Amino acid sequence: MEVVICKTYDELSKQAANVVAEVLNEKPNAVLGMATGSSPLGLYQELVRMHRDEALDFSQVTTFNLDEYVGLPVTHEQSYHYFMHENFFKHVNIPIGNIHIPSGSTNNYRAFCEWYENRIEECGGIDVQILGIGADGHIAFNEPTSSMASRTRLKTLARQTIEDNARFFDKVEDVPIYAITMGVGTILDARRLLLVANGEKKADAVAKMIEGPVTTMITASALQMHSRASVFIDEPAAANLQMRDYYDWIQAKKPDAPKQ
Ligand code: F6R
């Protein structure tokens, strides 16, 4: 796993956005996996800036979002449909038909999840999956004890996630209890993983993800089993890392490293 520790949130967002831009420059019709939440907001803002100022083109891009709350209409300000349109899609040129976000209102979740998995495959698989991490170590809504082989499915959110996300709602009772989420197995199938995390609240989960045992108790630890996972974090999120010096050393020596 590549660990990049940045001085600020702004810097980590820019570095992560550069990775996405590199992928798009190499493969203009790339399939991007999208995340919601506060962590990737800076990354999206930077991609929007690159689209506006540097003509970064999304016209051939296809996207798949990680997850969606069950029961919120797409017009609800806290739905992930709304979040993605407001914070990213309406600012770039991805054809609307190329955007996929799990449905939080289907009347057949099982069939929908199967369709979603098949659709990812039909589109050639995800080239780069953007991820955040929950304070309990989850990726997407794969709460502790989710199977490492799990696929897109309906999931009951953990109490901690509901409490963490209550900050976006008027009251904790308004936070949906269920979500539809890609599985850990679905995420591991992406060709490249790009996780962003910032702030001291994430320090414990980040350390466990990078340096702890691979365990379903911290589903983000599955990144250790991926051959191309990069983690961009700020100083507070890096606070509990034991191998900090080594990660900094690798980054310092990267410009001189033999080309792979
Ligand atoms: C959202 C998602 C979640 C978040 C995680 C962190 O699509 O997949 O796993 O990435 O809950 O959320 P923030 O970034 O708001 O701290």
Side-chain angles (χ1 to χ4, degrees), residues 92-112:
V92 294
N93 61 335
I94 302 175
I96 195 92
N98 289 7
I99 293 171
H100 304 84
I101 304 178
S103 167
S105 56
T106 170
N107 52 19
N108 188 339
Y109 282 98
R110 197 177 291 270
F112 180 85

Side-chain angles (χ1 to χ4, degrees), residues 23-32 57-63 98 123-125 127 191:
V23 170
L24 289 186
N25 287 332
E26 238 171 65
K27 187 177 177 187
N29 63 347
V31 178
L32 302 183
D57 182 32
F58 292 85
S59 64
Q60 299 177 61
V61 164
T62 298
T63 65
N98 289 7
C123 293
D127 289 298
R191 290 181 195 93

Side-chain angles (χ1 to χ4, degrees), residues 6 30 36 38 48 70 83 87 109 139 141 173 224 229 231 235:
C6 301
T36 56
S38 51
V48 168
V70 164
F83 175 101
N87 292 300
Y109 282 98
I139 43 171
F141 275 135
E173 292 75 28
Q224 293 180 34
V231 174
E235 292 286 346

Side-chain angles (χ1 to χ4, degrees), residues 36-249:
T36 56
S38 51
S39 310
L41 273 176
L43 189 170
Y44 293 149
Q45 277 160 15
E46 179 60 9
L47 288 178
V48 168
R49 191 202 60 73
M50 287 173 166
H51 171 65
R52 196 186 53 225
D53 301 343
E54 294 163 16
L56 182 64
D57 182 32
F58 292 85
S59 64
Q60 299 177 61
V61 164
T62 298
T63 65
F64 286 90
N65 260 79
L66 285 170
D67 42 18
E68 176 59 290
Y69 287 120
V70 164
L72 296 188
V74 295
T75 50
H76 191 290
E77 284 189 16
Q78 295 310 329
S79 78
Y80 289 170
H81 279 76
Y82 188 91
F83 175 101
M84 287 309 300
H85 283 280
E86 284 305 303
N87 292 300
F88 189 58
F89 293 142
K90 81 174 188 192
H91 306 287
V92 294
N93 61 335
I94 302 175
I96 195 92
N98 289 7
I99 293 171
H100 304 84
I101 304 178
S103 167
S105 56
T106 170
N107 52 19
N108 188 339
Y109 282 98
R110 197 177 291 270
F112 180 85
C113 293
E114 214 178 298
W115 174 83
Y116 203 70
E117 287 277 336
N118 290 336
R119 187 80 193 116
I120 294 173
E121 218 177 293
E122 269 168 29
C123 293
I126 293 171
D127 289 298
V128 53
Q129 175 65 57
I130 296 164
L131 297 163
I133 180 171
D136 64 0
H138 70 222
I139 43 171
F141 275 135
N142 294 291
E143 300 288 29
T145 73
S146 291
S147 163
M148 295 300 197
S150 51
R151 312 300 305 188
T152 304
R153 68 210 183 288
L154 191 73
K155 191 79 193 152
T156 308
L157 300 183
R159 281 183 214 270
Q160 180 170 354
T161 302
I162 292 172
E163 279 160 25
D164 287 346
N165 292 356
R167 67 191 195 277
F168 300 116
F169 291 80
D170 288 341
K171 47 188 193 312
V172 70
E173 292 75 28
D174 293 344
V175 185
I177 293 171
Y178 306 99
I180 183 164
T181 180
M182 278 188 204
V184 181
T186 320
I187 293 167
L188 288 177
D189 282 350
R191 290 181 195 93
R192 191 159 180 184
L193 303 180
L194 194 61
L195 187 142
V196 285
N198 62 295
E200 60 184 347
K201 275 195 184 145
K202 300 292 173 71
D204 184 47
V206 163
K208 287 176 175 158
M209 160 179 70
I210 298 170
E211 296 176 341
V214 175
T215 167
T216 59
M217 290 301 285
I218 303 286
T219 53
S221 66
L223 267 68
Q224 293 180 34
M225 301 192 301
H226 196 281
S227 60
R228 228 174 155 203
S230 302
V231 174
F232 292 85
I233 52 180
D234 68 356
E235 292 286 346
N240 294 357
L241 291 172
Q242 287 177 36
M243 298 292 286
R244 164 77 198 248
D245 285 352
Y246 182 48
Y247 310 134
D248 287 344
W249 170 254

